[in-house]
Amino acid sequence: MFQRVVVTGLGTVNPISEDVEGFWENLISYKNGINTISHFDTTHYKTKIAAEVNLDLSTFFNKKELNKIDRFTSFALIAADQAINDANINDKLDKNRIGVILGSGIGGINTLERQHLRLLKSPKRVSPYFVPSMISDIAPGHISIKYGFKGTNFSVVSACASSNHAIGMAFKSIKYNESDIIVTGGSEAGITPLSIAGFMNMKALSTESDINNASIPFDLNRNGFVMGEGSGILILESLESALKRNAKIYAEITGYGSSADAYHLTSPAPNGEGAKRAMSMALNEANIKPDDIDYINAHGTSTYYNDLHETQAIKSLFKKHAYNLSISSTKSNIGHLLGASGAVEAIATIKSINNSFITPTINYKTKDPQCDLDYTPNKGKEKNIQHAISNNFGFGGHNASILISKFVK
């Protein structure tokens, strides 16, 4: 017998807030989290802006702890602590049935760069904590060790689709009764000299200097994404477990779709064929008709081909209903958090469902004739949301769609 899967806890650290409530308040206040890069000197870089997390990590970890963990892991631990407390997960629960599944696209790249500089001076100067700080799976490892969660534990790496895939795997684990509770989501800290240079030189990043004209999804003049960082953590739980312990329920995960473009390393498949299949799979699993979807939190990266092909995928799948859908991109506020995007955007989607409000795509100025749907430009709007899709797609042709529904007992 399949288990229904609900969301009972949320946590986030991102460019516009250090917690979930602040995140929502800043989304509906149209806050832009993009600014000049402060993490390193950008004198020789064409890209000079990003969406950084402004957080003093020393208030959460002592110096010894910070020497052992990468920035992306610190974000994951902070957001996980929020979500675990929010869900009231305690020692009375069977920790053999509580797992951790997180996604990260590039993991501990901060550590990799710092330790390589040490290597150039002498191999003896490389930290013994180098490997267990850098590897992407270390974030779920730290969470399980800290809280004693002994269920399934692993990391998903699928570029910008990583945390959507992680949420999907968590959903499946609970649905098929392998777990009662999964701490899931993603974390990323990719605003580093090497990372920015790599994305910049492949012409994926915006080179705009105006922060209000940089991350502009679906706008005719979009010219690349803006790098962001942070973490989003969700507590997924079987409905049976949640009801038994009288947990608050934010929403229900009802469907998950995953597909491959099998087309190109970085460009989406023509007409968004792969994205369409991922959304269709999520609808089929949830047994929900396309016309029942009220809102799509789009991948919406502010790159030419992604925004075009995602639009084409939506129109192809939803047909006439595509023009009734509300769509928006949270990346207009917080930039592109790579492997953490799906988790933070899933939280935004859940808050939209709970508050019956569509957050806007901010800084939208010029309509693209090829992107002609309702992207909720610049101003949010009230709307009853029963079912929503959160999309994320990644380099390598990875597509992942999560279907989130208003909880009805």
Side-chain angles (χ1 to χ4, degrees):
M1 185 174 123
F2 292 152
Q3 300 286 322
R4 290 175 65 183
V5 182
V6 295
V7 181
T8 57
L10 301 172
T12 187
V13 174
N14 63 63
I16 60 173
S17 183
E18 299 176 11
D19 56 47
V20 172
E21 288 309 312
F23 178 44
W24 177 250
E25 289 302 317
N26 285 326
L27 281 178
I28 63 176
S29 299
Y30 316 145
K31 183 171 181 177
N32 186 348
I34 298 166
N35 215 322
T36 304
I37 293 173
S38 66
H39 289 353
F40 62 91
D41 183 3
T42 61
T43 299
H44 301 294
Y45 289 72
K46 290 183 179 178
T47 295
K48 298 182 182 295
I49 59 173
E52 298 176 341
V53 171
N54 296 308
L55 189 67
D56 182 2
L57 295 178
S58 67
T59 62
F60 297 91
F61 308 96
N62 62 42
K63 187 176 181 180
K64 187 176 181 180
E65 290 171 326
L66 287 173
N67 285 335
K68 295 180 181 180
I69 58 174
D70 188 86
R71 186 173 173 86
F72 94 102
T73 298
S74 71
F75 290 158
L77 283 165
I78 294 167
D81 188 63
Q82 293 176 17
I84 290 165
N85 288 329
D86 186 36
N88 193 28
I89 296 176
N90 54 55
D91 291 335
K92 295 179 182 179
L93 299 171
D94 182 0
K95 293 190 176 181
N96 292 318
R97 299 274 297 174
I98 303 177
V100 188
I101 305 174
L102 299 189
S104 185
I106 52 179
I109 194 167
N110 282 275
T111 296
L112 176 64
E113 291 185 38
R114 290 197 306 269
Q115 295 302 318
H116 183 257
L117 291 175
R118 289 188 175 194
L119 173 65
L120 295 178
K121 296 178 181 178
S122 170
K124 294 181 180 180
R125 300 189 67 172
V126 174
S127 169
Y129 297 111
F130 163 54
V131 173
S133 293
M134 176 198 69
I135 51 180
S136 295
D137 67 297
I138 206 67
H142 271 287
I143 293 168
S144 70
I145 291 168
K146 180 177 179 180
Y147 298 98
F149 299 152
K150 296 182 178 180
T152 188
N153 186 282
F154 60 92
S155 181
V156 178
V157 180
S158 53
C160 306
S162 296
S163 55
N164 255 20
H165 278 130
I167 295 168
M169 291 294 96
F171 166 67
K172 295 285 191 182
S173 182
I174 297 171
K175 179 177 179 178
Y176 296 122
N177 202 26
E178 298 169 350
S179 307
D180 293 332
I181 298 172
I182 301 284
V183 180
T184 189
S187 191
E188 204 81 88
I191 305 173
T192 71
L194 182 60
S195 177
I196 294 293
F199 282 107
M200 179 183 73
N201 289 343
M202 69 184 296
K203 301 188 186 305
L205 293 181
S206 173
T207 56
E208 280 284 341
S209 58
D210 180 359
I211 65 169
N212 294 315
N213 200 39
S215 185
I216 49 172
F218 305 106
D219 190 291
L220 178 66
N221 297 314
R222 62 192 185 275
N223 68 354
F225 75 84
V226 174
M227 184 77 78
E229 62 178 355
S231 178
I233 301 292
L234 299 84
I235 306 300
L236 268 55
E237 184 167 359
S238 71
L239 177 60
E240 181 181 353
S241 172
L243 292 177
K244 184 177 180 180
R245 65 189 194 89
N246 198 30
K248 68 174 175 293
I249 296 173
Y250 286 101
E252 182 172 3
I253 307 296
T254 49
Y256 163 59
S258 174
S259 72
D261 286 340
Y263 172 70
H264 190 272
L265 287 177
T266 58
S267 181
N271 302 312
E273 183 271 336
K276 175 186 176 182
R277 281 188 291 112
M279 288 187 285
S280 180
M281 290 168 68
L283 286 166
N284 289 339
E285 180 164 34
N287 195 27
I288 290 171
K289 297 176 182 178
D291 285 1
D292 292 330
I293 298 297
D294 302 299
Y295 170 54
I296 295 178
N297 188 296
H299 186 46
T301 59
S302 187
T303 58
Y304 175 77
Y305 286 110
N306 175 85
D307 292 1
L308 171 63
H309 292 317
E310 187 171 13
T311 297
Q312 292 172 333
I314 292 168
K315 290 197 284 189
S316 178
L317 176 60
F318 292 94
K319 304 189 183 326
K320 290 182 179 180
H321 183 59
Y323 292 90
N324 298 323
L325 285 166
S326 292
I327 303 166
S328 66
S329 173
T330 308
K331 291 181 179 70
S332 62
N333 302 88
I334 62 173
H336 192 346
L337 275 62
L338 304 182
S341 292
V344 178
E345 291 162 14
I347 292 171
T349 304
I350 289 167
K351 295 296 286 184
S352 285
I353 292 171
N354 292 166
N355 290 279
S356 300
F357 189 83
I358 308 293
T359 58
T361 303
I362 65 170
N363 295 319
Y364 183 96
K365 300 175 182 69
T366 307
K367 185 174 181 177
D368 181 345
Q370 296 184 92
C371 296
D372 58 348
L373 300 177
D374 178 9
Y375 306 108
T376 322
N378 300 312
K379 186 177 180 180
K381 61 183 177 184
E382 293 183 359
K383 184 175 184 178
N384 181 39
I385 307 167
Q386 294 294 325
H387 305 288
I389 288 176
S390 180
N391 283 332
N392 276 104
F393 317 125
F395 285 173
H398 311 297
N399 306 302
S401 297
I402 303 293
L403 205 158
I404 307 170
S405 301
K406 182 176 288 187
F407 173 67
V408 178
K409 190 173 179 180

